[in-house]
Amino acid sequence: MKKNFKVLFLAVFVSVASCSFTTKEFNDPNKDKLLLDLITYVIQKGHYDPKDINDEFSIGVYDKFIKGLDPLKRYFLASDIAEFSKYKTEIDDQIKNKDLSFFDLVYSRFQKRMADVQKIYPEVLAKPFDFTETETINVDYDKLAYANSPKELRSRWKQQLKFTTLASYYDSVEDQKNREKGVSDSDTNTDEEDETEFQDAAKNDSSKKEEPFVRKSLTELEQKAREAAKNSLDEYFDFTKDLQRTDYFAIYLNTIVEEFDPHTNYFAPPDKDRFDLRMSGKLEGIGARLQKKNDYITVIEVISGGPAWRSEKIEVGDAILKVKQEDEKDAVSIVGMRIDDAVKLIKGPKGTKVTLTIKNVDGTVSDKVLTRDVVELEETYAKSSLIETSDRKFGLINLPQFYFDMQNYKERNAATDVKKEIIRLKEEGMEGLVLDLRDNGGGSLRTAVDIAGLFIKKGPVVQVASNGNKEVLEDKDSEIVWDGPLVILVNELSASASEILAAAMQDYKRAIIIGSAQTYGKGTVQNVIDLNQWLRKNDLGDMGALKITSQKFYRVNGGSTQLEGVKSDVVMPDRYSYIDVGERDYDNPLPYDKIDAAKYNIWDGYIDYDETIEKSNARMEQNAHLKLIDDNARWIKERRDEKTVNLNYKMYSADIAQRKEETKRFDAINEYDNKLTFKSLPYETALMKQDTTLSEKRKRWHKNLSKDMYIEEAVHVLEDLKLSNIKAGKVADIKN
């Protein structure tokens, strides 16, 4: 695995610094026009399957940009849409001519409409709602027509705000009833799926400390619900106030590039930084998550193990007022500053000091000096547990994503971490291994190939095709770290690199795949191209980057995972079974196809591989609990398809009561006990003595695992898998 990876550092996506299709110059002094010209040129030259920029393309961009800005039809009027529509088939020509007329018109009109709305909602929420009226709201926004007048738009906002307030009011009434009964925490959530920016209003106060109970009248509760809705919208518009024209232009550029395929994206400079962080799982800074609230940059989470956590000087709810670097005399106020700009001041290289002026939760103000450090986001990384039955031990490794350090692959990556966990589990007597890739959206292909190499002697793992060329990425290391029974768990959200690994292990018959009928279905490869490399002289600042689909990958058997995903050997339904969440549910995914198979040898380590699959499927067919999970998945789908909601309080309450009654039969899902024992490994147990946060995280994880039927079936499969005499007499050669 050497030469191949110097050429293809794929799916996550290493910047291509040497891309040079031509000597074309980009020298427009207008940054927006230059970006438009640069991006469309690079994408047409470098995309795996570039589209013609024609009238059909123009219509797609038009529809998606308008919908992206106003998906719920709460801002634009029908007259605006009529005015915009003259550009419906002209955007392709505007792109070619670096003409921004369509964007400029829509952007300026959107700003005006948002300003209009900011006058509407405070006025509406200043007056009580009448929840005795018989009224409904339709939340099928795709079928909703645009308002014909400002008056009609106001009426639409009033109805939506009434819905939001009703949800909060209902919760408050139910909570008061429960507290009168002596129940401190109400579980009377509305469970409504209002897909709007208003939804948080009903839950807005959940993080606040519980106040002494004082009974309120229904009038007071209704007023409190309206105040919650207003506060939520105040925060929303406070956030949008910080957005600049460049932010909206980035949305427009993304609408254009995503017309090529769903995974081609433009990264404005801050977005590129966040992408790198997501892939490496670490950052350099103080170790706190921040959010802007009412002009203040507020701490919403202190990351375990980071400088803020170690210092015990910062806590959730603290507001950062000023920032001073160690080589500066004066502090800089960040009150009212854009959060991206504030974060740039707060974070910095490892070892440097920063002084933060903090308004503490108790209202006092003080200066806190922190030494920045590398903060690792542990939830990103692989973790393991020992599974004990009455007489046997098995290992479980959960891998949230295929991460790696973008500056130094060897420093830390998913493959080396998984290898370490396997060795540790073997030391504890592991007899079979479960690799959990559920909800793993992918990441670095290199780590996927390296992990596959831990389970096979050598051979091809994935095939990559681009522009008529094909390359086979192989495991060339004969070391096998684990040659025992292997099960891989997947679901509908297992994508990209997860599918590569699962597909390879399935094609080799090395592992049995348990999970959803099929995985996500993302079989494309993206590279990140630094757009600045194209500009010889650039006085316009950072241009950002383009993540571009440049290749497709294929299984060693020749089939693509694109759209089709990986079909599980043992199918077990889950809550996503009937929800549209896969690649095939996008508007414009690349198609499925096949190429010739690579040469590979089936794993010869099992004597009853197919029989074990048959036994497991037979168990699943007879399993009543699994039938209950499937019924619940169907019920969830039916609920999501409901688009009409009552705004009459009694009818709204009755609907919720009915749903609660219906869901009682699904309570057994959360009460399930798989009778397995889960234990942390010795090295982690030692860490927990110093880190109570880690200890609590593992307790919660193990509690959830004890209710996990999929883990239980994976253990049954491991128990059924028998090793052939050839492999049973061998011990994997572990090279530390």
Side-chain angles (χ1 to χ4, degrees), residues 429-560:
M430 170 178 71
E431 299 175 64
L433 175 64
V434 181
L435 182 59
D436 190 352
L437 300 181
R438 289 175 295 180
D439 299 335
N440 184 322
S444 164
L445 177 64
R446 177 174 181 176
T447 59
V449 176
D450 284 349
I451 292 172
L454 303 176
F455 307 118
I456 59 175
K457 189 170 184 179
K458 61 174 57 178
V461 175
V462 63
Q463 304 185 84
V464 183
S466 61
N467 298 325
N469 299 317
K470 181 182 81 171
E471 183 162 6
V472 180
L473 303 187
E474 300 186 22
D475 167 42
K476 295 183 178 180
D477 190 340
S478 61
E479 175 189 19
I480 304 177
V481 178
W482 176 246
D483 64 354
L486 177 64
V487 165
I488 295 179
L489 293 178
V490 297
N491 64 4
E492 291 88 346
L493 299 179
S494 303
S496 193
S498 293
E499 296 172 293
I500 291 170
L501 178 57
M505 296 300 93
Q506 187 178 59
D507 290 344
Y508 274 91
K509 291 196 171 184
R510 175 64 186 93
I512 289 177
I513 312 301
I514 297 178
S516 55
Q518 74 163 73
T519 54
Y520 190 86
K522 180 184 179 294
T524 56
V525 181
Q526 285 75 39
N527 288 325
V528 173
I529 300 175
D530 181 358
L531 294 173
N532 297 289
Q533 67 180 293
W534 298 84
L535 306 176
R536 295 176 183 174
K537 295 180 181 179
N538 177 20
D539 299 325
L540 298 172
D542 194 342
M543 306 300 287
L546 184 67
K547 178 160 69 75
I548 185 172
T549 297
S550 55
Q551 298 158 315
K552 288 179 74 173
F553 55 72
Y554 298 83
R555 303 169 65 134
V556 293
N557 69 7
S560 173

Side-chain angles (χ1 to χ4, degrees), residues 239 242 290-292 297 337-344:
F239 165 75
D242 276 355
L290 308 174
Q291 184 179 48
K292 186 173 180 181
I297 305 299
M337 186 179 288
R338 281 165 47 93
I339 189 165
D340 285 344
D341 296 330
V343 168
K344 287 178 183 176

Side-chain angles (χ1 to χ4, degrees), residues 206-225:
S206 61
S207 63
K208 295 182 180 178
K209 294 180 180 179
E210 189 170 327
E211 300 174 355
F213 174 61
V214 177
R215 193 181 189 286
K216 293 181 172 65
S217 67
L218 294 181
T219 299
E220 290 174 314
L221 293 178
E222 190 274 343
Q223 180 180 349
K224 180 184 175 183

Side-chain angles (χ1 to χ4, degrees), residues 83 131 183 250 274 375 469 475 501 514 528 606 634 650:
E83 188 175 352
F131 294 133
V183 180
R274 283 189 281 268
V375 183
N469 299 317
D475 167 42
L501 178 57
I514 297 178
V528 173
Y606 301 125
R634 294 177 186 275
K650 288 185 178 179

Side-chain angles (χ1 to χ4, degrees), residues 250-502:
I251 294 172
Y252 181 55
L253 290 175
N254 263 305
T255 307
I256 292 171
V257 301
E258 288 172 9
E259 195 63 21
F260 286 83
D261 82 283
H263 305 291
T264 293
N265 309 115
Y266 168 66
F267 290 146
D271 298 323
K272 176 61 166 58
D273 293 341
R274 283 189 281 268
F275 173 77
D276 291 347
L277 163 64
R278 194 167 66 247
M279 292 321 306
S280 65
K282 66 181 184 181
L283 54 87
E284 288 186 334
I286 65 170
R289 297 188 195 276
L290 308 174
Q291 184 179 48
K292 186 173 180 181
K293 293 186 176 182
N294 299 324
D295 277 345
Y296 289 100
I297 305 299
T298 305
V299 177
I300 59 171
E301 180 185 355
V302 177
I303 299 171
S304 176
W309 178 84
R310 292 197 303 267
S311 74
E312 299 183 347
K313 298 176 181 178
I314 308 291
E315 61 180 314
V316 173
D318 285 351
I320 304 175
L321 307 180
K322 298 179 182 179
V323 180
K324 185 172 80 70
Q325 312 303 329
E326 60 182 328
D327 59 349
E328 294 179 348
K329 183 179 179 180
D330 298 319
V332 176
S333 172
I334 61 171
V335 176
M337 186 179 288
R338 281 165 47 93
I339 189 165
D340 285 344
D341 296 330
V343 168
K344 287 178 183 176
L345 294 175
I346 295 168
K347 74 177 186 179
K350 176 181 178 180
T352 59
K353 287 184 170 62
V354 61
T355 302
L356 305 178
T357 301
I358 300 288
K359 182 179 181 181
N360 302 289
V361 175
D362 62 7
T364 60
V365 176
S366 58
D367 287 346
K368 310 288 177 68
V369 180
L370 299 178
T371 301
R372 299 176 176 111
D373 200 354
V374 173
V375 183
E376 295 187 336
L377 308 179
E378 286 298 329
E379 66 268 25
T380 300
Y381 297 134
K383 59 180 181 283
S384 67
S385 175
L386 195 67
I387 306 173
E388 294 184 347
T389 63
S390 57
D391 58 348
R392 300 181 71 178
K393 294 180 179 180
F394 300 97
L396 167 67
I397 297 177
N398 174 269
L399 186 64
Q401 70 179 45
F402 291 80
Y403 51 87
F404 75 116
D405 188 292
M406 298 193 78
Q407 276 68 51
N408 183 2
Y409 180 81
K410 292 182 179 179
E411 183 172 324
R412 184 167 194 180
N413 63 72
T416 55
D417 283 358
V418 168
K419 179 178 178 179
K420 288 177 185 176
E421 296 304 319
I422 292 174
I423 294 171
R424 289 163 173 161
L425 287 164
K426 289 180 68 173
E427 290 171 350
E428 298 303 308
M430 170 178 71
E431 299 175 64
L433 175 64
V434 181
L435 182 59
D436 190 352
L437 300 181
R438 289 175 295 180
D439 299 335
N440 184 322
S444 164
L445 177 64
R446 177 174 181 176
T447 59
V449 176
D450 284 349
I451 292 172
L454 303 176
F455 307 118
I456 59 175
K457 189 170 184 179
K458 61 174 57 178
V461 175
V462 63
Q463 304 185 84
V464 183
S466 61
N467 298 325
N469 299 317
K470 181 182 81 171
E471 183 162 6
V472 180
L473 303 187
E474 300 186 22
D475 167 42
K476 295 183 178 180
D477 190 340
S478 61
E479 175 189 19
I480 304 177
V481 178
W482 176 246
D483 64 354
L486 177 64
V487 165
I488 295 179
L489 293 178
V490 297
N491 64 4
E492 291 88 346
L493 299 179
S494 303
S496 193
S498 293
E499 296 172 293
I500 291 170
L501 178 57

Side-chain angles (χ1 to χ4, degrees), residues 170 651-662 664:
Y170 172 85
M651 298 173 73
Y652 181 86
S653 301
D655 289 342
I656 292 177
Q658 180 182 344
R659 293 190 190 103
K660 285 183 177 179
E661 191 64 33
E662 291 172 356
K664 285 181 180 178

Side-chain angles (χ1 to χ4, degrees), residues 475-728:
D475 167 42
K476 295 183 178 180
D477 190 340
S478 61
E479 175 189 19
I480 304 177
V481 178
W482 176 246
D483 64 354
L486 177 64
V487 165
I488 295 179
L489 293 178
V490 297
N491 64 4
E492 291 88 346
L493 299 179
S494 303
S496 193
S498 293
E499 296 172 293
I500 291 170
L501 178 57
M505 296 300 93
Q506 187 178 59
D507 290 344
Y508 274 91
K509 291 196 171 184
R510 175 64 186 93
I512 289 177
I513 312 301
I514 297 178
S516 55
Q518 74 163 73
T519 54
Y520 190 86
K522 180 184 179 294
T524 56
V525 181
Q526 285 75 39
N527 288 325
V528 173
I529 300 175
D530 181 358
L531 294 173
N532 297 289
Q533 67 180 293
W534 298 84
L535 306 176
R536 295 176 183 174
K537 295 180 181 179
N538 177 20
D539 299 325
L540 298 172
D542 194 342
M543 306 300 287
L546 184 67
K547 178 160 69 75
I548 185 172
T549 297
S550 55
Q551 298 158 315
K552 288 179 74 173
F553 55 72
Y554 298 83
R555 303 169 65 134
V556 293
N557 69 7
S560 173
T561 57
Q562 179 65 9
L563 302 184
E564 294 290 313
V566 177
K567 314 288 187 185
S568 294
D569 299 308
V570 178
V571 176
M572 298 178 67
D574 59 30
R575 64 188 294 111
Y576 303 114
S577 292
Y578 303 101
I579 299 174
D580 297 337
V581 294
E583 180 86 358
R584 61 195 180 280
D585 300 309
Y586 281 104
D587 290 336
N588 55 337
L590 295 184
Y592 169 85
D593 61 343
K594 286 184 176 183
I595 61 174
D596 294 335
K599 293 181 179 179
Y600 65 102
N601 297 316
I602 299 295
W603 174 260
D604 61 357
Y606 301 125
I607 59 174
D608 59 350
Y609 181 88
D610 294 328
E611 291 84 348
T612 296
I613 293 174
E614 291 175 6
K615 285 182 182 178
S616 181
N617 280 315
R619 278 195 297 269
M620 297 304 93
E621 288 179 5
Q622 302 300 318
N623 192 299
H625 190 76
L626 204 65
K627 175 66 166 58
L628 186 64
I629 292 174
D630 186 67
D631 289 345
N632 186 41
R634 294 177 186 275
W635 186 85
I636 290 172
K637 176 65 165 63
E638 291 171 0
R639 281 280 293 106
R640 288 173 65 93
D641 289 343
E642 292 177 4
K643 299 299 181 182
T644 301
V645 181
N646 280 304
L647 297 182
N648 173 282
Y649 179 78
K650 288 185 178 179
M651 298 173 73
Y652 181 86
S653 301
D655 289 342
I656 292 177
Q658 180 182 344
R659 293 190 190 103
K660 285 183 177 179
E661 191 64 33
E662 291 172 356
T663 59
K664 285 181 180 178
R665 66 189 183 103
F666 302 127
D667 288 347
I669 295 175
N670 293 324
E671 296 167 0
Y672 189 77
D673 183 359
N674 56 30
K675 309 298 183 185
L676 298 171
T677 300
F678 299 89
K679 292 185 177 180
S680 293
L681 298 182
Y683 86 96
E684 202 170 60
T685 302
L687 291 175
M688 290 180 197
K689 293 178 181 178
Q690 279 75 42
D691 189 344
T692 55
T693 302
L694 176 63
S695 177
E696 183 60 30
K697 286 180 179 178
R698 291 300 178 263
K699 285 179 182 177
R700 291 180 185 179
W701 184 43
H702 290 165
K703 182 178 180 180
N704 290 332
L705 290 176
S706 68
K707 300 178 180 181
D708 195 325
M709 182 182 178
Y710 308 88
I711 298 289
E712 179 187 21
E713 182 55 26
V715 168
H716 289 324
V717 169
L718 292 174
E719 290 172 330
D720 288 343
L721 274 174
K722 295 180 176 61
L723 299 178
S724 71
N725 292 330
I726 298 173
K727 293 294 175 186

